[in-house]
Amino acid sequence: AIGLAGTFDTALMRRVQSVIAREVRARGIPYVLSPVVDTVRDPRWGRIEETWGECPFLCAEMGVAAVEGLQGPGKFDRLADDKVFATLKHMTGHGQPDSGNNISPASIAERELRENFFPPFREVVRRTSVGAVMPSYNEIDGVPSHANVWLLGQVLRAEWGFDGIVASDRRWKKSLKL
C-alpha cells in the first residue's frame, strides 16, 4: 500500500483493487478486510506499510479509489459478480498510538481526529457504498474504539450517515465463556 501511495495514481489503485476483487470473488468470497485508510503520524508504528502514509487527503483519495476497485464506483444497490464488499480499517487514531506501540491508546484531541484522522473514513463513506468499517484496536480518550458510542454512533452513523456493518477481526480465546 505505501508503494502504491507513492504513485499518487488513483486510477492504478482502482485497477489493482479490481483485480484483487475479481480473484477473491472467483474463490467465492464476497467480503474483504481492506483497505487500511489509517493516517500515520508516528514512524515508530510497525504497520506503516499497510497504509497510504501521513497525508489525510492522499489517504482519502486512495481509499475512495480502493473501495471503487473492490466494490464498484459510487452508490449502488447490488454488488456485481466480480466485486467484493470492502471494510475500512481501522477507525481511528490507530496510526498514532502512544509510544508507537501497536494497539496502544491514542491520546488524540477531537480537533486532531477531525482534521487528520477522520477525513479518509468520512470521504469513503460519503462517496462510496462501502460495506463495512472496522474500529481500531486502540482506545481514544480512555474508551476502546469498538465500544465507543461517540465514535461509532454519533460520528460514523449520525454525522456521516453510514448504514453498513461495523466489523471486528479480533479473535476471542476459545476458553472465553459468555
Side-chain angles (χ1 to χ4, degrees):
I2 199 71
L4 279 171
T7 69
F8 296 85
D9 189 341
T10 55
L12 176 61
M13 179 61 72
R14 278 185 199 85
R15 288 194 309 273
V16 167
Q17 297 300 323
S18 290
V19 170
I20 291 169
R22 202 168 42 251
E23 290 180 0
V24 169
R25 192 65 185 265
R27 306 270 309 164
I29 300 167
Y31 173 75
V32 295
L33 301 177
S34 179
V36 174
V37 295
D38 295 316
T39 302
V40 178
R41 288 298 171 92
D42 190 331
R44 298 173 296 174
W45 186 53
R47 298 182 73 170
I48 291 174
E49 74 282 357
E50 297 177 44
T51 75
W52 293 307
E54 65 184 354
C55 175
F57 177 77
L58 178 61
C59 292
E61 292 305 305
M62 290 299 214
V64 169
V67 171
E68 288 177 345
L70 292 167
Q71 293 190 177
K75 302 285 186 175
F76 59 86
D77 293 329
R78 186 177 185 283
L79 191 63
D81 292 339
D82 64 342
K83 298 296 182 184
V84 292
F85 287 108
T87 305
L88 295 180
K89 297 168 54 172
H90 306 91
M91 191 172 167
T92 189
H94 198 42
Q96 187 174 311
D98 292 351
S99 302
N101 293 320
N102 193 38
I103 73 174
S104 287
S107 302
I108 306 170
E110 182 177 347
R111 181 193 56 76
E112 181 78 5
L113 287 169
R114 289 188 180 277
E115 289 180 6
N116 294 303
F117 294 93
F118 285 177
F121 294 94
R122 184 189 64 233
E123 287 304 304
V124 174
V125 167
R126 186 176 67 80
R127 294 163 53 188
T128 73
S129 290
V130 66
V133 172
M134 181 183 294
S136 54
Y137 308 128
N138 58 299
E139 56 187 55
I140 303 232
D141 199 21
V143 180
S145 295
H146 280 78
N148 194 320
V149 174
W150 172 76
L151 181 66
L152 302 177
Q154 292 177 323
V155 175
L156 180 63
R157 299 263 190 221
E159 286 181 32
W160 302 347
F162 179 71
D163 63 357
I165 295 168
V166 173
S168 172
D169 69 353
R170 299 296 287 176
R171 296 184 188 163
W172 297 98
K173 291 182 180 179
K174 290 182 179 181
S175 63
L176 181 65
K177 306 237 187 220
L178 299 176

